[in-house]
Amino acid sequence: EAGVAQSPRYKIIEKRQSVAFWCNPISGHATLYWYQQILGQGPKLLIQFQNNGVVDDSQLPKDRFSAERLKGVDSTLKIQPAKLEDSAVYLCASSSFFSGPSYNEQFFGPGTRLTVL
Amino acid sequence: SQQGEEDPQALSIQEGENATMNCSYKTSINNLQWYRQNSGRGLVHLILIRSNEREKHSGRLRVTLDTSKKSSSLLITASRAADTASYFCATRSSYGNKLVFGAGTILRVKS
C-alpha cells in the first residue's frame, strides 16, 4: 500500500513570498490533516478535512494560510505571504474514517521542510 | 497549544538497556497514542491505549496509563540503535476528534 505522498520535500523562500505544498493521501482515506511542526516541538494541527469539507481549522492562521482538498482526494496548503515564523516542517496525514472521539490511526507523509529567510 | 508534555526532553542509553519516557496531559481523554519520528521523516504510529485501559503491550513496547494522574509512560525494552528517534505522545479528547501532540522525547541509543 502506497503511503502519504508530499511535495516538495524542501522549500526555501524569502519572507512575503508565497508557497504551496501538495499532499496525496492513502487511497480511500476520507480524512486528511495538515500539521505544522516547528523545530523542537510536536506537530500542531492546522486543518482537518473530511472528504472535501473542513472539520477543524481553528488553529489555521486564516489571514495568510489557506487549504483546499480537491474532489476529496489531493490537498494543497498555501501560505501567502510567508513570515519568518512560518519556518517549520509541514506534515500531511490521512486516516481511514471519521467517527467522533474514537480511535483511528493517522498515517503521516515525510513532510515539507520550509525555510523562510 | 500542546496538551501532552513529555519527560525527559532527551535520553541517551546503551544498546540493550530499557528506555522509559513519560507523558503528562491536562484534560480528559478518550485515548492516548505514542508516535515515533526518525530524523527527517514523518511520524509512525506505535501504540494506542484507551482511557479505560491501564496497560498495553506491543512487541518490545509497554505503555501504561494513569487517568487519575493524567499521565502515561512508554517503556522500550532491550533497546536497539534503530530505536534512536523522537517519541511523541498524542491525546484524543473525550469531547472532540483532534489529536494533540506533546513536545517529544529525543531518544539516542548508543551501540
Side-chain angles (χ1 to χ4, degrees):
Chain A
E1 175 181 77
V4 176
Q6 290 188 248
S7 68
R9 291 294 311 277
Y10 304 92
K11 189 74 176 179
I12 300 174
I13 62 173
E14 296 191 350
K15 60 183 179 184
R16 291 188 288 274
Q17 286 187 324
S18 302
V19 65
F21 312 126
W22 174 83
C23 172
N24 180 241
I26 291 173
S27 177
H29 279 191
T31 311
L32 185 147
Y33 315 79
W34 282 103
Y35 289 87
Q36 180 192 57
Q37 186 177 20
I38 292 172
L39 185 65
Q41 299 182 18
K44 181 183 81 171
L45 180 69
L46 292 176
I47 189 167
Q48 177 181 341
F49 291 95
Q50 171 70 7
N51 295 311
N52 60 354
V54 175
V55 172
D56 187 338
D57 64 357
S58 57
Q59 297 191 97
L60 186 74
K62 298 180 186 63
D63 57 334
R64 298 183 301 105
F65 286 64
S66 64
E68 61 179 2
R69 190 174 182 194
L70 307 173
K71 300 179 181 178
V73 181
D74 292 6
S75 178
T76 56
L77 176 70
K78 297 179 182 177
I79 307 175
Q80 181 180 7
K83 293 185 176 181
L84 296 177
E85 58 260 36
D86 298 332
S87 293
V89 175
Y90 291 85
L91 296 163
C92 179
S94 68
S95 60
S96 62
F97 66 89
F98 175 91
S99 57
S102 65
Y103 162 70
N104 60 57
E105 179 180 343
Q106 294 187 21
F107 295 83
F108 284 80
T112 296
R113 183 177 299 276
L114 173 67
T115 302
V116 182
L117 303 176
Chain B
S1 62
Q2 294 182 306
Q3 155 140 270
E5 295 294 334
E6 283 93 338
D7 167 56
Q9 288 185 321
L11 181 60
S12 182
I13 58 174
Q14 291 293 135
E15 204 167 27
E17 294 181 338
N18 296 341
T20 300
M21 288 160 268
N22 303 297
C23 169
S24 60
Y25 57 92
K26 298 173 184 173
T27 62
S28 177
I29 62 170
N30 176 274
N31 65 65
L32 185 145
Q33 303 176 33
W34 285 90
Y35 284 78
R36 182 186 70 222
Q37 185 175 39
N38 292 94
S39 178
R41 301 180 68 176
L43 285 86
V44 174
H45 181 266
L46 294 177
I47 193 167
L48 174 144
I49 187 165
R50 301 183 193 281
S51 60
N52 61 354
E53 298 175 315
R54 291 297 167 258
E55 187 171 315
K56 203 159 184 182
H57 297 255
S58 176
R60 294 185 295 112
L61 304 180
R62 172 179 168 254
V63 171
T64 61
L65 179 65
D66 187 334
T67 53
S68 66
K69 295 181 179 179
K70 291 186 168 58
S71 67
S72 173
S73 67
L74 172 68
L75 169 68
I76 304 174
T77 60
S79 62
R80 305 166 182 169
D83 295 328
T84 294
S86 292
Y87 291 81
F88 296 90
C89 69
T91 54
R92 187 178 299 283
S93 168
S94 298
Y95 308 106
N97 214 329
K98 185 182 301 185
L99 202 60
V100 180
F101 286 82
T105 291
I106 300 171
L107 173 66
R108 180 187 173 204
V109 181
K110 296 176 285 187
S111 56

